[in-house]
Amino acid sequence: MDLEQLVNEARAAFSGAKQPAALENEKARFLGKSGAITEQLKALGRLPAEEKRQLGSQVNRAKEAIEALLEARRRELAEEQLNERLAQEAIDVTLPGRLRRSGGIHPVTRTWMRIEEIFASIGFDVADGPEIETDWYNFTALNSPENHPARSMQDTFYVDARDSQGKPLLLRTHTSPMQVGMRARISRRSRSSRWVARIVSTATRRTRRVSPGRGPVD
């Protein structure tokens, strides 16, 4: 077989392979165990020494040319596949970025704030006070002395600290302690004060009966 023609056939076969698997199949036609070049190398064994040396050199050059064509086509297919994947995964950097939006106010908190705004608009102040209260402000001043049934109903949350009288401090169980303290402070400032336009809008800590619409803690 004309070796130049064999190289041209390999060039055309490799160029026509559109996938790596197809290219490897074409490689087997020329460089495989039963390929055209392999058959040419096997045939050299039946030739005289001088002719074998001359033709062997030509076959080796043809083999090298075909191997170079094969590697070039492999690189082309790899580049085509890479470009195709990049095109599919392309990101349009001209699009605006995704903004990280800030969270909103919880509906319960929004309602709470709205109630305070309404009362403030008609002249009320909004009172606030400590979340950790003394036994006096939370119970005794409200006619709930020790061993009073109302205390056990609220199942108070106590903290590891005590007041000046040695009684344990607690998380306020209702808003009344702030009303007591507020009234005491106003009375000390002005003995003639008879009324206060003020609301107590704050959180409390106590257990309550569990129901489908309520959790175990306020």
Side-chain angles (χ1 to χ4, degrees):
M1 178 182 290
D2 185 355
L3 294 176
E4 185 177 353
Q5 180 182 351
L6 190 61
V7 173
N8 291 333
E9 287 182 7
R11 180 183 290 107
F14 295 163
S15 299
K18 303 302 181 183
Q19 297 293 333
L23 180 61
E24 296 307 313
N25 290 335
E26 295 297 337
K27 169 197 170 184
R29 285 180 51 199
F30 299 93
L31 301 174
K33 291 182 179 181
S34 301
I37 291 294
T38 305
E39 293 297 327
Q40 290 288 332
L41 292 173
K42 291 178 180 179
L44 294 177
R46 300 189 294 270
L47 297 177
E50 185 64 27
E51 189 176 352
K52 180 191 299 185
R53 186 168 49 254
Q54 183 179 0
L55 186 58
S57 176
Q58 297 175 5
V59 173
N60 285 330
R61 285 197 298 270
K63 181 181 178 182
E64 292 173 359
I66 292 175
E67 288 176 343
L69 292 172
L70 177 63
E71 290 302 320
R73 185 55 179 162
R74 281 174 174 167
R75 289 193 296 270
E76 290 177 359
L77 289 177
E79 186 175 354
E80 289 175 4
Q81 288 185 327
L82 177 60
N83 291 336
E84 183 178 353
R85 191 177 69 180
L86 291 176
Q88 292 175 349
E89 300 175 359
I91 299 175
D92 188 352
V93 295
T94 64
L95 291 175
R98 294 182 178 89
L99 298 179
R100 180 173 294 179
R101 301 183 183 277
S102 58
I105 300 176
H106 192 279
V108 173
T109 304
R110 189 182 296 114
T111 302
W112 189 341
M113 295 169 60
R114 180 57 180 153
I115 292 173
E116 292 180 350
E117 291 174 358
I118 292 173
F119 275 94
S121 68
I122 57 178
F124 281 74
D125 292 332
V126 178
D128 195 7
E131 294 200 19
I132 298 178
E133 277 290 2
T134 64
D135 183 275
W136 166 261
Y137 281 111
N138 200 80
F139 289 123
T140 306
L142 299 169
N143 293 325
S144 295
E146 292 185 20
N147 301 321
H148 193 283
R151 294 198 182 199
S152 61
M153 292 172 59
Q154 294 178 359
D155 194 13
T156 308
F157 292 93
Y158 289 94
V159 298
D160 189 17
R162 295 182 178 273
D163 60 15
S164 59
Q165 298 180 356
K167 295 185 177 182
L169 300 177
L170 60 143
L171 301 180
R172 62 185 176 212
T173 59
H174 42 212
T175 60
S176 299
M178 287 185 291
Q179 299 174 28
V180 174
M182 178 177 58
R183 186 59 194 174
R185 289 191 295 273
I186 293 176
S187 297
R188 287 194 295 268
R189 288 201 305 267
S190 175
R191 295 292 180 180
S192 62
S193 298
R194 294 179 177 272
W195 62 275
V196 176
R198 182 170 292 180
I199 65 170
V200 178
S201 171
T202 189
T204 59
R205 304 290 187 272
R206 63 184 180 188
T207 61
R208 61 184 176 185
R209 181 175 299 177
V210 178
S211 67
R214 292 182 175 182
V217 180
D218 275 336

